[in-house]
Amino acid sequence: MQHTIRVAVDYRQFYLWDPTVTNRAPEEYSDLDIERRVKLAPSVVVVQPERDGAVDVVVDLADADPGFTAAACDHVVECSIDVPGGRLRVHECLGSATLDITVDPGVYAVRVLFTGLDSIDEDGLGGEDRYVVQLWPAGRRSLVVVKQWLDAG
């Protein structure tokens, strides 16, 4: 099941979390967290887009690994999220919830695909960048950067 939403990004972040566990994002970020463009906390995945402003986000909830084409992506990160309460929420940094999904309680693999990063304009507020968050039931996994984007600017 796919959901396409528009997310207002502030401080280059938005969140995916189980609201039955938390409604708070982590506050401490390392240089490595910023380089990876994804940060984990208990029942929280922080996605760090390359710019602020409104961005397109696709949340793809699948029964199994939906796969992806690495060549079509600028940056790819995989990890997992615990969803013990059976609810997933996409939440803006300074705004509100933009999507609530009911799921079976459990652990979900998460893959975040970043595309169009080279389209971001000089002031960093506009572009054709897009973010796809794929989720499927799976075991716990460590955060891994599958493909690293290096800003040429």
Side-chain angles (χ1 to χ4, degrees):
M1 177 182 332
Q2 282 194 354
H3 304 272
T4 301
I5 56 177
R6 195 89 167 136
V7 176
V9 174
D10 292 294
Y11 299 102
R12 290 188 171 182
Q13 55 191 299
F14 68 88
Y15 316 113
L16 178 69
W17 61 41
D18 180 339
T20 70
V21 176
T22 188
N23 64 355
R24 296 188 58 100
E27 296 178 4
E28 301 290 326
Y29 288 80
S30 69
D31 290 342
L32 185 58
D33 294 329
I34 294 166
E35 180 181 315
R36 290 175 172 170
R37 295 178 175 83
V38 171
K39 179 178 178 60
L40 297 179
S43 295
V44 178
V45 175
V46 180
V47 179
Q48 300 172 84
E50 204 55 29
R51 66 179 178 92
D52 288 335
V55 299
D56 291 329
V57 176
V58 175
V59 178
D60 183 7
L61 184 60
D63 293 329
D65 184 345
F68 72 103
T69 303
C73 302
D74 296 317
H75 187 78
V76 179
V77 178
E78 294 181 348
C79 57
S80 63
I81 185 171
D82 291 319
V83 188
R87 289 183 53 208
L88 280 170
R89 175 174 289 162
V90 176
H91 205 282
E92 298 169 340
C93 177
L94 298 179
S96 59
T98 57
L99 179 67
D100 278 297
I101 306 170
T102 300
V103 299
D104 291 333
V107 178
Y108 287 78
V110 178
R111 180 182 296 127
V112 185
L113 310 172
F114 295 66
T115 61
L117 300 184
D118 59 355
S119 73
I120 297 171
D121 59 27
E122 250 182 61
D123 68 6
L125 296 176
E128 299 301 317
D129 50 324
R130 181 175 157 149
Y131 305 87
V132 176
V133 180
Q134 298 175 322
L135 299 118
W136 65 95
R140 284 184 182 82
R141 54 184 67 193
S142 298
L143 188 148
V144 175
V145 177
V146 176
K147 183 175 181 179
Q148 179 72 49
W149 185 68
L150 301 173
D151 183 1

